Short mmCIF file of all heavy atoms in Angstrom, two decimals:
data_model
loop_
_atom_site.label_atom_id
_atom_site.label_comp_id
_atom_site.label_asym_id
_atom_site.label_seq_id
_atom_site.Cartn_x
_atom_site.Cartn_y
_atom_site.Cartn_z
N ALA A 446 238.23 339.69 37.91
CA ALA A 446 237.90 340.43 36.68
C ALA A 446 236.71 341.35 36.93
O ALA A 446 236.72 342.52 36.52
CB ALA A 446 237.58 339.44 35.54
N ARG A 447 235.72 340.87 37.61
CA ARG A 447 234.53 341.68 37.90
C ARG A 447 234.94 342.93 38.68
O ARG A 447 234.53 344.04 38.36
CB ARG A 447 233.55 340.82 38.72
CG ARG A 447 232.10 341.06 38.53
CD ARG A 447 231.61 342.44 38.98
NE ARG A 447 231.88 342.71 40.37
CZ ARG A 447 232.19 343.92 40.86
NH1 ARG A 447 232.26 344.98 40.06
NH2 ARG A 447 232.44 344.09 42.14
N ASP A 448 235.81 342.74 39.64
CA ASP A 448 236.25 343.87 40.45
C ASP A 448 237.07 344.86 39.62
O ASP A 448 236.94 346.08 39.75
CB ASP A 448 237.08 343.33 41.63
CG ASP A 448 237.54 344.45 42.53
OD1 ASP A 448 236.68 345.18 43.06
OD2 ASP A 448 238.76 344.64 42.69
N LEU A 449 237.93 344.33 38.73
CA LEU A 449 238.78 345.22 37.92
C LEU A 449 237.96 346.07 36.96
O LEU A 449 238.41 347.13 36.52
CB LEU A 449 239.80 344.39 37.13
CG LEU A 449 241.19 344.29 37.74
CD1 LEU A 449 242.11 343.52 36.80
CD2 LEU A 449 241.77 345.68 38.00
N LEU A 450 236.78 345.60 36.61
CA LEU A 450 235.93 346.41 35.72
C LEU A 450 235.11 347.44 36.51
O LEU A 450 234.30 348.16 35.93
CB LEU A 450 234.99 345.51 34.90
CG LEU A 450 235.50 345.16 33.49
CD1 LEU A 450 236.67 344.19 33.56
CD2 LEU A 450 234.38 344.57 32.63
N GLY A 451 235.32 347.51 37.81
CA GLY A 451 234.61 348.49 38.62
C GLY A 451 233.10 348.33 38.47
O GLY A 451 232.58 347.23 38.33
N GLY A 452 232.41 349.45 38.49
CA GLY A 452 230.95 349.42 38.35
C GLY A 452 230.54 348.80 37.03
O GLY A 452 229.53 348.08 36.95
N ASN A 453 231.33 349.04 35.98
CA ASN A 453 231.00 348.45 34.68
C ASN A 453 231.05 346.92 34.72
O ASN A 453 230.50 346.26 33.84
CB ASN A 453 231.96 348.97 33.60
CG ASN A 453 231.65 350.42 33.26
OD1 ASN A 453 230.50 350.85 33.31
ND2 ASN A 453 232.69 351.19 32.93
N GLY A 454 231.70 346.39 35.73
CA GLY A 454 231.78 344.94 35.87
C GLY A 454 230.43 344.30 36.15
O GLY A 454 230.25 343.11 35.90
N ILE A 455 229.50 345.06 36.69
CA ILE A 455 228.18 344.43 36.94
C ILE A 455 227.23 344.62 35.77
O ILE A 455 226.10 344.14 35.81
CB ILE A 455 227.52 344.92 38.26
CG1 ILE A 455 227.06 346.38 38.15
CG2 ILE A 455 228.43 344.70 39.46
CD1 ILE A 455 226.04 346.75 39.20
N LEU A 456 227.67 345.32 34.73
CA LEU A 456 226.81 345.48 33.55
C LEU A 456 226.93 344.24 32.65
O LEU A 456 228.03 343.84 32.28
CB LEU A 456 227.21 346.72 32.75
CG LEU A 456 226.94 348.07 33.42
CD1 LEU A 456 227.48 349.20 32.55
CD2 LEU A 456 225.45 348.25 33.69
N LEU A 457 225.79 343.70 32.28
CA LEU A 457 225.81 342.49 31.45
C LEU A 457 226.53 342.73 30.12
O LEU A 457 227.11 341.83 29.55
CB LEU A 457 224.39 342.00 31.21
CG LEU A 457 223.68 341.43 32.44
CD1 LEU A 457 222.20 341.17 32.15
CD2 LEU A 457 224.35 340.16 32.92
N GLU A 458 226.47 343.98 29.62
CA GLU A 458 227.09 344.27 28.31
C GLU A 458 228.58 343.91 28.30
O GLU A 458 229.13 343.61 27.26
CB GLU A 458 226.92 345.75 27.97
CG GLU A 458 227.74 346.68 28.86
CD GLU A 458 227.34 348.15 28.73
OE1 GLU A 458 226.14 348.41 28.56
OE2 GLU A 458 228.22 349.01 28.79
N ASN A 459 229.23 343.93 29.45
CA ASN A 459 230.66 343.60 29.49
C ASN A 459 230.92 342.12 29.74
O ASN A 459 232.07 341.70 29.84
CB ASN A 459 231.36 344.47 30.53
CG ASN A 459 231.39 345.92 30.07
OD1 ASN A 459 231.68 346.21 28.91
ND2 ASN A 459 231.04 346.84 30.96
N ARG A 460 229.87 341.35 29.85
CA ARG A 460 229.88 339.88 29.87
C ARG A 460 230.51 339.22 31.09
O ARG A 460 230.22 338.06 31.37
CB ARG A 460 230.60 339.32 28.62
CG ARG A 460 229.87 339.65 27.35
CD ARG A 460 230.44 338.89 26.16
NE ARG A 460 229.87 339.39 24.93
CZ ARG A 460 228.69 339.07 24.49
NH1 ARG A 460 227.98 338.18 25.15
NH2 ARG A 460 228.21 339.60 23.39
N VAL A 461 231.40 339.91 31.81
CA VAL A 461 232.07 339.24 32.93
C VAL A 461 231.04 338.76 33.96
O VAL A 461 231.12 337.64 34.46
CB VAL A 461 233.10 340.18 33.58
CG1 VAL A 461 233.63 339.59 34.89
CG2 VAL A 461 234.25 340.43 32.62
N MET A 462 230.06 339.61 34.23
CA MET A 462 229.04 339.24 35.23
C MET A 462 228.25 338.01 34.78
O MET A 462 227.90 337.14 35.58
CB MET A 462 228.10 340.43 35.43
CG MET A 462 227.22 340.31 36.62
SD MET A 462 228.13 340.71 38.12
CE MET A 462 227.25 339.73 39.29
N GLN A 463 227.98 337.96 33.47
CA GLN A 463 227.24 336.81 32.94
C GLN A 463 228.07 335.53 33.08
O GLN A 463 227.58 334.49 33.50
CB GLN A 463 226.89 337.07 31.48
CG GLN A 463 226.00 336.01 30.87
CD GLN A 463 225.55 336.41 29.47
OE1 GLN A 463 225.23 337.57 29.22
NE2 GLN A 463 225.56 335.47 28.56
N HIS A 464 229.37 335.64 32.74
CA HIS A 464 230.24 334.46 32.92
C HIS A 464 230.29 334.06 34.40
O HIS A 464 230.25 332.87 34.74
CB HIS A 464 231.65 334.77 32.42
CG HIS A 464 231.79 334.72 30.93
ND1 HIS A 464 231.70 333.56 30.21
CD2 HIS A 464 231.98 335.71 30.01
CE1 HIS A 464 231.85 333.81 28.92
NE2 HIS A 464 232.01 335.11 28.77
N MET A 465 230.39 335.07 35.26
CA MET A 465 230.46 334.80 36.70
C MET A 465 229.22 334.02 37.15
O MET A 465 229.33 333.04 37.91
CB MET A 465 230.54 336.14 37.43
CG MET A 465 231.09 336.09 38.79
SD MET A 465 231.37 337.78 39.35
CE MET A 465 231.79 337.43 41.04
N ALA A 466 228.07 334.45 36.68
CA ALA A 466 226.83 333.77 37.04
C ALA A 466 226.80 332.36 36.45
O ALA A 466 226.39 331.39 37.11
CB ALA A 466 225.63 334.57 36.56
N ASP A 467 227.24 332.23 35.20
CA ASP A 467 227.20 330.91 34.54
C ASP A 467 228.17 329.92 35.20
O ASP A 467 227.88 328.71 35.27
CB ASP A 467 227.51 331.06 33.04
CG ASP A 467 226.35 331.70 32.27
OD1 ASP A 467 225.25 331.85 32.86
OD2 ASP A 467 226.54 332.04 31.09
N ILE A 468 229.31 330.42 35.66
CA ILE A 468 230.29 329.52 36.31
C ILE A 468 229.67 328.84 37.53
O ILE A 468 229.98 327.70 37.86
CB ILE A 468 231.57 330.30 36.71
CG1 ILE A 468 232.37 330.70 35.47
CG2 ILE A 468 232.45 329.46 37.64
CD1 ILE A 468 233.42 331.77 35.74
N GLU A 469 228.76 329.55 38.20
CA GLU A 469 228.14 328.97 39.40
C GLU A 469 227.46 327.63 39.07
O GLU A 469 227.50 326.70 39.86
CB GLU A 469 227.15 329.95 40.02
CG GLU A 469 227.82 331.14 40.68
CD GLU A 469 228.87 330.72 41.70
OE1 GLU A 469 228.52 330.00 42.64
OE2 GLU A 469 230.05 331.08 41.53
N ALA A 470 226.81 327.57 37.92
CA ALA A 470 226.11 326.32 37.56
C ALA A 470 227.11 325.21 37.27
O ALA A 470 226.94 324.07 37.74
CB ALA A 470 225.20 326.55 36.36
N ILE A 471 228.17 325.52 36.52
CA ILE A 471 229.09 324.42 36.16
C ILE A 471 229.92 324.00 37.37
O ILE A 471 230.41 322.89 37.44
CB ILE A 471 229.97 324.74 34.93
CG1 ILE A 471 231.01 325.81 35.23
CG2 ILE A 471 229.14 325.14 33.74
CD1 ILE A 471 232.07 325.90 34.14
N HIS A 472 230.05 324.91 38.34
CA HIS A 472 230.73 324.54 39.59
C HIS A 472 229.93 323.45 40.31
O HIS A 472 230.48 322.60 41.01
CB HIS A 472 230.85 325.78 40.47
CG HIS A 472 231.63 325.58 41.73
ND1 HIS A 472 232.97 325.22 41.73
CD2 HIS A 472 231.27 325.66 43.03
CE1 HIS A 472 233.39 325.10 42.97
NE2 HIS A 472 232.38 325.36 43.79
N THR A 473 228.60 323.47 40.11
CA THR A 473 227.72 322.51 40.80
C THR A 473 227.45 321.25 39.98
O THR A 473 227.47 320.14 40.52
CB THR A 473 226.38 323.20 41.16
OG1 THR A 473 226.63 324.15 42.19
CG2 THR A 473 225.34 322.21 41.65
N TYR A 474 227.19 321.40 38.67
CA TYR A 474 226.74 320.19 37.96
C TYR A 474 227.87 319.23 37.63
O TYR A 474 229.03 319.61 37.65
CB TYR A 474 225.81 320.51 36.80
CG TYR A 474 226.32 321.14 35.52
CD1 TYR A 474 227.42 320.67 34.83
CD2 TYR A 474 225.61 322.20 34.96
CE1 TYR A 474 227.81 321.22 33.62
CE2 TYR A 474 225.99 322.77 33.74
CZ TYR A 474 227.09 322.27 33.08
OH TYR A 474 227.47 322.82 31.89
N GLU A 475 227.49 318.00 37.37
CA GLU A 475 228.44 316.88 37.16
C GLU A 475 229.24 316.61 38.43
O GLU A 475 230.38 316.13 38.37
CB GLU A 475 229.41 317.17 36.01
CG GLU A 475 228.77 317.71 34.78
CD GLU A 475 228.47 316.67 33.74
OE1 GLU A 475 229.06 315.59 33.81
OE2 GLU A 475 227.62 316.95 32.89
N GLY A 476 228.65 316.91 39.57
CA GLY A 476 229.31 316.67 40.86
C GLY A 476 229.88 317.95 41.41
O GLY A 476 230.71 318.61 40.78
N THR A 477 229.43 318.32 42.63
CA THR A 477 229.87 319.58 43.24
C THR A 477 231.35 319.48 43.63
O THR A 477 231.95 318.40 43.58
CB THR A 477 229.07 319.84 44.52
OG1 THR A 477 229.36 318.78 45.45
CG2 THR A 477 227.57 319.89 44.26
N GLU A 478 231.87 320.62 44.07
CA GLU A 478 233.25 320.67 44.56
C GLU A 478 233.47 319.62 45.66
O GLU A 478 234.45 318.87 45.64
CB GLU A 478 233.50 322.08 45.11
CG GLU A 478 234.78 322.26 45.85
CD GLU A 478 234.92 323.70 46.40
OE1 GLU A 478 234.24 324.62 45.90
OE2 GLU A 478 235.71 323.88 47.33
N SER A 479 232.53 319.54 46.60
CA SER A 479 232.71 318.60 47.73
C SER A 479 232.64 317.16 47.24
O SER A 479 233.38 316.29 47.73
CB SER A 479 231.62 318.82 48.78
OG SER A 479 231.68 320.14 49.25
N VAL A 480 231.76 316.89 46.27
CA VAL A 480 231.67 315.51 45.75
C VAL A 480 232.96 315.13 45.03
O VAL A 480 233.48 314.01 45.20
CB VAL A 480 230.43 315.35 44.85
CG1 VAL A 480 230.51 314.06 44.04
CG2 VAL A 480 229.17 315.35 45.71
N GLN A 481 233.53 316.07 44.27
CA GLN A 481 234.83 315.76 43.62
C GLN A 481 235.88 315.48 44.69
O GLN A 481 236.68 314.55 44.57
CB GLN A 481 235.31 316.92 42.72
CG GLN A 481 234.35 317.39 41.65
CD GLN A 481 233.82 316.28 40.76
OE1 GLN A 481 234.49 315.28 40.52
NE2 GLN A 481 232.61 316.45 40.26
N ALA A 482 235.86 316.30 45.76
CA ALA A 482 236.86 316.11 46.83
C ALA A 482 236.68 314.73 47.48
O ALA A 482 237.66 314.07 47.83
CB ALA A 482 236.74 317.22 47.86
N LEU A 483 235.42 314.30 47.63
CA LEU A 483 235.18 312.99 48.24
C LEU A 483 235.66 311.86 47.33
O LEU A 483 236.19 310.84 47.80
CB LEU A 483 233.68 312.83 48.54
CG LEU A 483 233.15 313.68 49.70
CD1 LEU A 483 231.62 313.72 49.70
CD2 LEU A 483 233.67 313.15 51.03
#
Side-chain angles (χ1 to χ4, degrees):
R447 213 295 302 146
D448 182 59
L449 261 184
L450 264 71
N453 287 328
I455 71 161
L456 292 176
L457 291 171
E458 69 193 36
N459 291 316
R460 295 191 190 280
V461 170
M462 193 78 208
Q463 186 173 320
H464 283 291
M465 201 170 173
D467 287 350
I468 289 165
E469 289 306 302
I471 69 167
H472 185 62
T473 290
Y474 72 50
E475 314 264 341
T477 63
E478 170 182 340
S479 301
V480 166
Q481 305 308 330
L483 288 166

